[in-house]
Amino acid sequence: MNSFEIHIPTRIYFGNSKAGSFFDRLKDYGSRALIVIGGGSVKRTGYLDEVTDHLSSRNIDYVLFEGIEPNPHAATIDKAAAFGKENSVDFVLAFGGGSVMDASKAIAGLIHNDEKEIWPFVLGEPKYKTMKGALPVATIPTTAATASEVTAHAVISNPEVKGKSPISYPFLKPSASWLNPVYHTSLPLETTRDGASDILSHVFENYILGGNESPLADRYSEGVMQTVIEALPNVLEDPENEALRGQLLWASTMALNTMQTAGRVPTTFLLHNLEHALSGYNPNLAHGRGLAILYPAYFKWLVQNDRCVDRLALLGEKLFDIKTADINESAAEFIAVFELWLENNGLYQRLTDQDIPVESFDEIAEYALRVYGDSEKIDAAGPITKENIVEIFSLTEEQVTEKLSAEEI
Ligand code: NZQ
Ligand code: ZN
């Protein structure tokens, strides 16, 4: 096994009945909170009133910043940080999906460092700056997707330069997170699907590229993947079922809390690098949707290039009970069965269905290489060059369009 170091400092409260313990804990972080929310879903559902009642009953004062976009924009984060600074907040309470949680971490960093603009801090920027700390962050995730409720990362978009990339520091890991499946029952089906795809990716990526050295990491990751593969269709059938929502929610937190990679060969997060470049190009592309589009193409590309075929075959065996005498055959069968799963769950599309034209593939590949690679290649079980990235993007064009009508959603 490879050496590793793990630090998971987030206090996790799971379940509706854990509200009391979570809000009591927030008193440790100060007496004035900056609540950060997105485009208003938590207002429309009435959930925000519940949260502010909990704060008020504990004499925790708060100010509210509303309007973080999906794929959060750097300029909005700058505004929110200025607002938090003006109001002398002690900590940040993120109430929303990954975009809100990521924005909150960035805001907490800007306020602590007395800085005004987030974009110079993101990976790949020519005048890259580093942070020295952050205000405490607490989160209440309303999507089952990113695991931002436990991660050190915040992914920031800048539509002005068609860019999207992360900041990442151990001190950005939230201090406390309340995982309440009740708040997930309002999640639209489209966002539910996209989130499930993101969860899978967090375990797929390292499973495929991370070698055979950590059987426990393999079994752990297979458990997360099996849970998602079984739970998603059930949630789509019965979206208001709290127990089912809870299964996806817990899987999402477990998928990117660093345990999933323990003992494996460290790898780049290639699909994520490519997807961030795609949703940087088109900020309306949901992260999980972009990943779902890339999966079959990327897997086929790996087989065509004789990379990690044994790991794809193993995935087929563990997730779908596929066993053949030949690993190439098993890997091909796995890809076909998984494509069908994506199709059945409304996740099977092409990049051009998401307004990413073929003519843009070169430019997007260049961005990914500049930010995540050495500008010539990204290392992922062998080098991946610009031509390779364009090949992967082009393979998505062979996929069937599965546009869902509003009624179906
Ligand atoms: O903004 P509101 O009105 O809240 O609506 C949101 C948004 O439109 C809606 N929504 C969220 N919870 C809801 C709800 N609607 C009804 N009921 C609820 N309970 O869902 C839409 C999408 O939200 P968003 O936060 O953008 O989705 P997600 O959680 O998938 O987050 C995606 C972002 O996280 C980044 C992605 O790149 C992307 O920018 N990631 C962050 C990571 C991290 N910090 O570690 C890792 C991930 O791999 C990922 O890259
Ligand atoms: Zn992700």
Side-chain angles (χ1 to χ4, degrees), residues 145-147 197-199 201-202 205 256 269 272 275-276 287-288 291:
T146 63
S197 158
D198 191 21
I199 304 171
S201 175
H202 296 156
E205 293 222 35
L256 197 58
F269 228 25
H272 270 67
E275 195 300 307
H276 288 161
H287 171 63
L291 290 166

Side-chain angles (χ1 to χ4, degrees), residues 37-42 44-45 47 68-72 95-102 105 142-143 145-148 151-155 157 164 183-188 191 195 198 202 256 269 272 275-276 279 287-288 291:
I37 66 170
S41 70
V42 295
R44 289 190 294 277
T45 49
Y47 303 152
I68 299 296
E69 311 83 359
N71 297 328
F95 189 19
S99 297
V100 166
M101 292 189 279
D102 286 4
K105 292 172 180 176
T142 60
T143 58
T146 63
S148 185
T151 72
H153 323 298
V155 188
S157 294
K164 180 176 176 185
Y183 293 161
H184 290 231
T185 53
S186 60
L187 202 54
T191 319
D198 191 21
H202 296 156
L256 197 58
F269 228 25
H272 270 67
E275 195 300 307
H276 288 161
S279 49
H287 171 63
L291 290 166

Side-chain angles (χ1 to χ4, degrees), residues 155-157 161-166 270-283 285 287 294 351 356 360-372 378 389 393:
V155 188
I156 316 295
S157 294
V161 296
K162 291 193 170 175
K164 180 176 176 185
S165 61
L270 182 75
L271 280 184
H272 270 67
N273 303 341
L274 302 187
E275 195 300 307
H276 288 161
L278 289 168
S279 49
Y281 181 86
N282 174 9
L285 172 65
H287 171 63
L294 292 176
L351 286 177
I356 302 204
S360 66
F361 289 177
D362 252 47
E363 178 188 342
I364 297 170
E366 266 167 31
Y367 180 86
L369 285 172
R370 180 172 72 74
V371 175
Y372 295 105
I378 299 174
I389 296 172
F393 289 167

